[in-house]
Amino acid sequence: MVSLARKTLLYEWRRFLPAVLAVGFAGLLQLLQAALVLGIFGGAAVYITGSSADLWVGYPGTQSVDQGRAISPDVASLLYMNPEVERVEPFLWVDGDWRGGGTGGVSVFVSGIDPGPNGLMFAHALAPNLRARLREPDAVIVDRADLSKLGVGIGGSASINGHRVLVVGVASGLRALGGVNVVASLDTARRLDNDPSDAGRPTYLVARLHDPAQAAKVAQTLNGNHGFGPYRVWTAQRFARRTMLFWLFDTGAGAGVLFLAGIVFLVGAVITSQALAAAVVGSIREYATLNALGVGVRALRWVILEEALWVGALGLGGAALLGGVLIALARREDVPVVLNAPVTLACVILVLALALVSGLGSMRSLRRADPATLLR
Amino acid sequence: MNVSATPALEARDVHKSFRAGRIVSTVLDGLSLSVDAGELTLICGPSGCGKSTLLSILSGLQPADAGQVSALGQPLDGLDKRALERFRLLHTGFVFQGFNLFPALTAYEQVALPLGYLGLKRDTARERAEAALIEVGLQSRMHLRPAELSGGEKQRVAIARALAKEPALLFADEPTSSLDAANGQMVIDMLHRIARHHGTTVLCVSHDPRLIGHADRLLTMEDGRILEDRRTPPKVVAKPTGTSR
C-alpha cells in the first residue's frame, strides 16, 4: 500500500521542518535539563556516590548528607560486632571559610577522610597516590574546576577557618552543590574544625561489607540496636537518593525543574501541532477527495498520526545526536551532566508522547476535509 | 413517475436548504429524478441552481433534508457516516474541477492509493492502477508527480483514480472547467467511453456548453428544479423522464 504519510513527509519536508525542529528542540531541552538536574543534584551526593562504602551511619533524621551532626565514635564498635562488616571509617564534615588568593572568602565544605590506600571515602574520585598526599599535615585536595574560584593553583596555600592549608593536588568529580568541596585527612579536618561541640567526633561512619548485596539487611539489623547514642544506618544507595531528593524537592529547585519540563512540553506540543495542522490544511482538498472516494475519516486520521510519529522519530534522532555532542562538550568543560537509562527512556517517551499529542491536536483540522465542499 | 427497471440513481421529492444566519435558502425543492446505468447524464444550469447539491446528495456526500434517495437500489437516507463512506468506497468514483492530487505522489501512486483502502492485494491493485492509467493514455507518465504534469494530464490522473476502483457510479463536477478546449474534449470523450465500455453510470454536472453534444441525456436545472429533460438524438433505449415536481 502506498504510504501517504511517509511520501508526503519526504516530498514536503519543508512544510514539516518546523514540526521536526520543535519536537527536536523540545526533546533536546528535556534531555539536557534532565542531564543537568541529575548532574547538579547528583553532585549533592558526591560524598556518597564517589565513595565505596556500602553503609552510612549518621545522626537520626538527617535529610541530606550536608546536614549531618556529629555522632558517637563508639558506634564503630557496634558496626564491627556485625560479622558482615569488613571495614569502618569515620568521615568528618566541617563547614569552612576559605580565605586567600584574593577571593575575599569562599564558603567551603571540608571532608575529613582516611587517606589510606584502602580508604572508602572518595575511593572513586581520588587515586591512591593522590590520597597519600593528604597524609602531609594541612594538605588539601580540591576539584580542578574550583581552582579559579578558590584563587589558588596546585602548591598554593590559603587558610580555612583561620588555619593554613596547602593545595597538594586536584581531582575531578568533587564539585559540590552550594559550596566548594575541600578534601583533607581526618587529622587536618579536626584541626580546621572550630566547633567545640564536635570535639573530634565523626559526622558519619561509613562501612564496607563483605557482601554489598546484604547492605539493606545489615542496615536493618543495625538500626534495631540501641545504647550507643542516637544514630541511624542507611545503605549508600538510599542515602544518596535521600540527599538528591532533598535537594531536588525541598529546595524548590525540583518543582522549578518539573514546571520548566511542563512548559517545554506544552510549547513543543503547540508548535508541533500547529505545524502539523498547517500541513494537513495544505492538503485538505486531497484528503477530502480521498474521503469522497470512500477512504474513512478514521483511516485519514491514521495518516496524520503516522506523520506525527515520523516527525517525533526524526526530532528524537536530531535531539539524540545534538544532545550527545552537547553532553560530551559539557563533560569536557566539567559541567556536571549525568544521564542514566531510565531518565533517557523517560525523555524518549516524553518526546514521542509530545508528537502523539500534537498529532491528535492537529487531527481537528481534518474536520474541514468535507468532500461536499469540493463541489462548486 | 414511470420507472421501468431499477434505476442506478433515484431521488424522490428531495428537499435541501441551507441556512446562513436567519436566512434560509432553498436549493432543492421537491426534486425527483432517476438516472440509468451505462449512460452519461449531464446536468447543466446556471450557477446556484442546485446542480452540485443534487450531485452531492445522489452520491452520498451529504444527506437530503427530506425525500428519498437510493443508489444501486440501496436507500442512502438511513445510512450513517461510516456506512456512507463504505458505500462510496465500494461503488463510487469522483472527478472534481480541481484535480486534488497529492503533490508528493506519482500518477501511479495517486491511482493506487484508494485501491489499498479497498483491501485489494498488491498485485491486483497494481494491475488495476496501471490499466486505468493506460486507459486514460498516461502509460508513459505514470511515474511523474503532479508538478510535472499538464492540467489535462492531471485531470486524466483524477479520472484514472476514479476509474481504477471500477465503480458502478462515477460523479463528475465541472470536470472540464479548468481545461482548454482540446483537453476538455478529451476528458468528456473519456467519460463517455467509460459509460459505454464499463457500463458505468456517469453523472456529470457542468455549465460548459461544449459538453452538451456528448451527453446521452441532458437535464437542465433552474432554481432547484429540473426544467428540461432531453435525450440527445439516436440513443438506444428511451428511458423514463425524471421530472421535477
Side-chain angles (χ1 to χ4, degrees):
Chain A
M1 186 148 154
V2 178
S3 169
L4 181 59
R6 262 201 329 267
K7 297 214 175 245
T8 305
L9 207 69
L10 281 175
Y11 187 76
E12 297 177 44
W13 63 270
R14 282 184 189 85
R15 192 173 259 181
F16 290 94
L17 191 63
V20 173
L21 288 178
V23 171
F25 278 112
L28 187 67
L29 279 175
Q30 301 281 24
L31 195 78
L32 290 183
Q33 182 177 257
L36 275 172
V37 164
L38 280 182
I40 292 169
F41 291 97
V46 68
Y47 318 91
I48 308 164
T49 52
S51 305
S52 60
D54 300 314
L55 292 181
W56 279 68
V57 187
Y59 198 83
T62 305
Q63 298 188 71
S64 166
V65 67
D66 54 293
Q67 316 263 310
R69 284 177 60 184
I71 59 170
S72 164
D74 300 340
V75 179
S77 323
L78 175 75
L79 291 172
Y80 274 124
M81 276 156 65
N82 190 305
E84 286 286 343
V85 174
E86 185 191 329
R87 180 186 166 91
V88 179
E89 202 179 287
F91 170 48
L92 190 62
W93 175 289
V94 179
D95 287 323
D97 177 28
W98 175 285
R99 294 288 169 95
T103 57
V106 180
S107 176
V108 296
F109 308 133
V110 180
S111 292
I113 66 163
D114 183 338
N118 297 322
L120 305 177
M121 283 307 300
F122 293 120
H124 302 317
L126 301 179
N129 61 335
L130 199 58
R131 309 172 71 86
R133 289 189 216 161
L134 290 176
R135 287 180 189 282
E136 282 176 44
D138 304 325
V140 296
I141 292 173
V142 297
D143 192 287
R144 72 183 144 120
D146 289 330
L147 280 177
S148 60
K149 202 196 277 184
L150 295 172
V152 286
I154 299 176
S157 67
S159 78
I160 295 177
N161 293 346
H163 301 273
R164 189 184 154 275
V165 291
L166 185 71
V167 178
V168 294
V170 289
S172 62
L174 288 179
R175 291 188 93 175
L177 199 61
V180 173
N181 271 330
V182 174
V183 184
S185 68
L186 281 163
D187 290 338
T188 306
R190 282 193 191 102
R191 271 199 293 281
L192 300 176
D193 192 357
N194 287 342
D195 187 347
S197 67
D198 288 351
R201 293 187 299 161
T203 321
Y204 296 96
L205 286 166
V206 298
R208 186 165 60 207
L209 303 180
H210 293 293
D211 178 9
Q214 301 299 316
K217 214 171 104 189
V218 177
Q220 198 182 2
T221 312
L222 291 169
N223 279 329
N225 287 315
H226 302 284
F228 289 86
Y231 74 91
R232 176 86 192 173
V233 186
W234 298 274
T235 64
Q237 201 185 3
R238 188 142 191 188
F239 197 43
R241 197 178 144 78
R242 194 177 163 87
T243 296
M244 198 172 118
L245 290 180
F246 171 82
W247 276 89
L248 200 54
F249 292 104
D250 289 26
T251 59
V257 162
L258 287 180
F259 180 71
L260 200 63
I263 296 282
V264 166
F265 188 90
L266 194 71
V267 171
V270 167
I271 297 176
T272 309
S273 66
Q274 287 300 311
L276 282 174
V280 173
V281 169
S283 294
I284 202 75
R285 296 180 67 81
E286 286 74 33
Y287 282 117
T289 304
L290 277 187
N291 187 239
L293 289 169
V295 178
V297 172
R298 195 185 276 194
L300 297 180
R301 285 194 184 129
W302 268 114
V303 172
I304 292 170
L305 210 59
E306 195 189 330
E307 280 175 357
L309 287 176
W310 276 113
V311 162
L314 288 172
L316 199 64
L321 214 68
L322 205 56
V325 171
L326 288 175
I327 283 176
L329 201 69
R331 286 214 172 115
R332 217 189 63 188
E333 298 298 317
D334 284 322
V335 177
V337 282
V338 174
L339 258 192
N340 56 28
V343 170
T344 311
L345 193 69
C347 283
V348 169
I349 290 172
L350 210 65
V351 168
L352 289 181
L354 192 158
L356 207 66
V357 165
S358 309
L360 291 174
S362 61
M363 267 179 199
R364 290 163 54 87
S365 47
L366 253 192
R367 284 189 196 160
R368 289 156 70 177
D370 178 6
T373 60
L374 297 174
L375 301 169
R376 291 278 166 261
Chain B
M1 280 186 67
N2 54 341
V3 179
S4 55
T6 312
L9 291 168
E10 189 167 27
R12 274 192 206 161
D13 199 22
V14 166
H15 291 259
K16 184 78 184 176
S17 47
F18 293 101
R19 177 185 288 272
R22 285 186 185 172
I23 302 162
V24 177
S25 49
T26 302
V27 181
L28 297 178
D29 189 13
L31 185 143
S32 295
L33 165 74
S34 64
V35 179
D36 295 314
E39 283 189 344
L40 170 56
T41 304
L42 177 68
I43 304 176
C44 63
S47 50
C49 70
K51 53 188 193 303
S52 289
T53 305
L54 176 61
L55 182 122
S56 73
I57 289 172
L58 289 173
S59 61
L61 290 181
Q62 62 177 331
D65 293 342
Q68 285 100 47
V69 178
S70 64
L72 305 173
Q74 184 181 348
L76 297 183
D77 329 296
L79 298 183
D80 62 15
K81 204 175 166 193
R82 197 167 294 172
L84 278 173
E85 284 172 352
R86 183 79 193 149
F87 178 84
R88 295 202 302 266
L89 182 65
L90 294 175
H91 304 297
T92 68
F94 284 89
V95 177
F96 298 102
Q97 178 183 352
F99 322 117
N100 304 338
L101 302 175
F102 285 98
L105 303 187
T106 63
Y108 166 77
E109 288 163 346
Q110 312 272 3
V111 179
L113 181 63
L115 302 182
Y117 291 101
L118 261 175
L120 295 182
K121 285 197 179 120
R122 213 187 160 98
D123 289 343
T124 318
R126 190 190 324 123
E127 280 166 22
R128 274 213 209 171
E130 285 174 358
L133 283 162
I134 289 169
E135 186 164 345
V136 299
L138 288 177
Q139 55 270 37
S140 59
R141 318 283 283 164
M142 278 187 203
H143 300 291
L144 299 183
R145 293 203 172 85
E148 301 157 303
L149 297 170
S150 71
E153 286 170 334
K154 282 185 216 171
Q155 193 60 302
R156 279 147 69 191
V157 173
I159 292 173
R161 175 169 63 182
L163 186 62
K165 288 175 73 201
E166 298 182 355
L169 307 169
L170 178 61
F171 299 93
D173 182 57
E174 306 281 4
T176 56
S177 297
S178 317
L179 303 177
D180 59 23
N183 278 306
Q185 184 65 49
M186 192 183 282
V187 162
I188 194 70
D189 283 347
M190 266 171 204
L191 293 177
H192 205 167
R193 208 166 55 230
I194 288 165
R196 278 292 139 70
H197 293 177
H198 298 268
T200 308
T201 305
V202 182
L203 184 65
C204 180
V205 159
S206 181
H207 61 259
D208 184 348
R210 296 174 293 179
L211 265 60
I212 293 171
H214 296 271
D216 296 314
R217 182 179 170 195
L218 176 68
L219 299 165
T220 311
M221 276 184 77
E222 206 170 299
D223 295 335
R225 299 170 185 213
I226 292 173
L227 285 187
E228 194 188 353
D229 182 353
R230 179 156 59 90
R231 286 191 172 279
T232 36
K235 286 293 132 66
V236 239
V237 237
K239 271 288 164 176
T241 43
T243 53
S244 65
R245 205 175 43 162

